[in-house]
Amino acid sequence: MTRAILTVNSGSSSLKLGLFSENLDMLAMGHVDRIGRREAAMKLTGADGASLPLSETAPEAFATNAAALETALDAFRADFDALEIVAVGHRIVHGGLKHAAPEKVTAALIKDLARLAPYAPLHQPHNLAGIRAAIDAFPGVPQIACYDTAFHRGHPFVSDVYALPRAYYEKGVRRYGFHGLSYDYIESELARSEPDLHAGRVVVAHLGSGASMCALKGGKSIASSLGFSALDGLPMGTRSGELDPGVVLYLMDQEGMGAAEISDLLYKKSGLLGLSGISNDMRTLEDSDDPHAAQAIAYFAFRIKREIGAMAAALGGLDGIVFCGGIGENSARLRAEVCADMGWLGIDLDAEANAQSARDIGADRVRVMVIPTNEEIIIARAARKVLSL
Ligand code: ADP
């Protein structure tokens, strides 16, 4: 029996499982994409990155995050029955005020984290369902919670606060920022391979179904485009991103909408989907001739561009930009739109390198990089540390 650590990462439209040896060598990865859609598909890859064979699976097996997790765990178990799972690490989107460092899951912790679900409804319930499913699948095995909010908890006050009466800040109405496990990985990768850039001023754009940006100064997060809930900042697949709070008041007063309806609108019907009227999926939008698809992409790119300028100001200059996440890593078109006409800030792209999604795609003073993120290894490292494996 080989002892292994399993990682579970339930995104808003995807599920990623990782399998690592106790020495943190990657043994396998599982990825379910486009959950809830007809095109949903699962891929398992081995340590060498080659695909592992999978039995035919009906789309219903990926109808919900919970179903996709069951299906993926079954596939893992079939392929790796000689492994003893000694820990399961989970990505938890919201740790709130009380939870930052990775910790062992208890019944009380699950209850506590469930209270934060309204602020990340597309993730937190799936994250907790993942914990429950993993407890059932691996009874008695320690489960470790790793928080997406943790990386940003050292924000300076001005990046942590909203200009509301002070009592709300004390109650926890703060800018938590999310995607922290991804930023943690990019930070560790820069520290390992680009120490000079790591010591400088870097904007990281995590662009997936959920999207945000983080300003790194000497490897520390000093600002994030996401705030109190997973709605702020950039538009996302189905989320609005930054919105004048007056719009919410209008929806209540003039359109007679209640909290549940507004939540549904802002989390599930807005963003790329709402603007295009076609899809929340960047690949589908890029393949479409509909002008509304092009407009949705243009708005996304424009908000990222604006945020780069804002973060450069917060950082006191800019040495590098890193693109990551499904869109950041793969969409040459989006990266080109974002970086167009940015020569004033020292940003230009090498068109050929960008078309190939090469690691270095910049052609001016500011380094522009594409670094595939790896939240799984951050979760596995954390689980190993918490359990002193
Ligand atoms: P999640 O937040 O669910 O983890 P991902 O990081 O997997 O999301 O990113 C999903 C997004 O990445 C989708 O909008 C998808 O269309 C986009 N994407 C994936 N591959 C490509 C590609 N080759 N070109 C453009 N967009 C892509």
Side-chain angles (χ1 to χ4, degrees):
M1 278 283 199
T2 309
R3 290 158 59 86
I5 300 169
L6 176 69
T7 64
V8 180
N9 174 0
S10 286
S12 43
S13 72
S14 69
L15 168 73
K16 290 171 198 139
L17 296 182
L19 203 54
F20 295 85
S21 73
E22 278 186 307
N23 293 331
L24 300 181
D25 292 326
M26 199 267 277
L27 303 173
M29 287 284 185
H31 190 177
V32 185
D33 211 6
R34 296 174 163 176
I35 291 174
R37 297 164 57 106
R38 264 198 326 279
E39 311 86 26
M42 177 164 66
K43 211 172 136 188
L44 286 193
T45 47
D48 56 1
S51 294
L52 297 172
L54 276 175
S55 48
E56 196 67 29
T57 317
E60 299 81 68
F62 308 114
T64 61
N65 280 57
L69 181 60
E70 287 277 304
T71 309
L73 282 179
D74 281 349
F76 256 44
R77 271 193 296 245
D79 266 325
F80 298 98
D81 60 350
L83 289 180
E84 184 197 353
I85 302 296
V86 293
V88 185
H90 296 267
R91 171 187 176 206
I92 303 293
V93 161
H94 213 318
L97 206 47
K98 290 199 287 192
H99 306 282
E103 59 189 330
K104 261 195 193 175
V105 172
T106 61
L109 179 64
I110 295 179
K111 246 178 143 176
D112 216 18
L113 295 176
R115 287 194 200 105
L116 298 165
Y119 316 119
L122 298 183
H123 296 83
Q124 196 86 340
H126 300 317
N127 300 158
L128 298 177
I131 292 182
R132 292 189 193 101
I135 291 173
D136 285 348
F138 306 101
V141 172
Q143 314 277 326
I144 310 300
C146 306
Y147 302 105
D148 250 342
T149 40
F151 192 69
H152 307 291
R153 295 313 301 131
H155 272 178
F157 177 74
V158 289
S159 282
D160 197 37
V161 72
Y162 292 101
L164 292 169
R166 213 67 192 210
Y168 291 100
Y169 182 74
E170 304 308 333
K171 278 189 199 170
V173 181
R174 301 182 182 200
R175 297 188 60 94
Y176 291 97
F178 298 88
H179 295 132
L181 301 175
S182 175
Y183 295 129
D184 201 343
Y185 176 76
I186 299 296
E187 184 271 325
S188 71
E189 185 52 23
L190 290 177
R192 185 189 68 76
S193 62
E194 308 283 346
D196 290 345
L197 187 57
H198 179 264
R201 302 154 298 182
V202 180
V203 169
V204 187
H206 175 106
L207 311 175
S209 295
S212 76
M213 291 164 65
C214 172
L216 289 179
K217 195 169 197 172
K220 300 257 178 299
S221 169
I222 64 149
S224 160
S225 65
L226 274 167
F228 173 64
S229 74
L231 273 181
D232 206 357
L234 307 176
M236 308 178 213
T238 60
R239 285 171 264 171
S240 62
E242 184 188 340
L243 194 71
D244 178 345
V247 175
V248 176
L249 297 176
Y250 160 84
L251 294 173
M252 291 165 68
D253 288 345
Q254 305 299 318
E255 303 272 331
M257 291 169 76
E261 229 181 323
I262 294 175
S263 171
D264 193 56
L265 176 76
L266 300 183
Y267 278 101
K268 297 186 178 160
K269 296 182 178 153
S270 299
L272 297 176
L273 173 65
L275 262 182
S276 69
I278 297 170
S279 175
N280 62 331
D281 194 288
M282 185 56 99
R283 283 164 292 192
T284 309
L285 296 182
E286 287 191 355
D287 288 343
S288 169
D289 296 331
D290 191 314
H292 289 179
Q295 277 186 340
I297 297 174
Y299 178 72
F300 187 41
F302 174 66
R303 298 304 304 213
I304 298 166
K305 191 191 275 283
R306 261 183 59 164
E307 197 65 45
I308 291 173
M311 287 190 166
L315 288 164
L318 190 64
D319 301 306
I321 299 177
V322 177
F323 287 98
C324 64
I327 300 171
E329 290 163 28
N330 296 298
S331 176
R333 169 175 169 181
L334 194 272
R335 292 190 302 256
E337 281 197 35
V338 167
C339 295
D341 304 320
M342 294 282 270
W344 62 275
L345 196 51
I347 299 169
D348 194 10
L349 288 192
D350 174 329
E352 200 171 308
N354 183 42
Q356 290 164 3
S357 295
R359 184 177 163 91
D360 267 287
I361 59 172
D364 201 339
R365 185 188 60 76
V366 171
R367 291 281 296 278
V368 186
M369 303 184 75
V370 178
I371 302 183
T373 196
N374 189 345
E375 291 153 312
E376 284 57 47
I377 188 72
I378 295 295
I379 299 170
R381 277 180 202 160
R384 185 172 183 245
K385 194 164 166 212
V386 169
L387 297 172
S388 310
L389 293 173

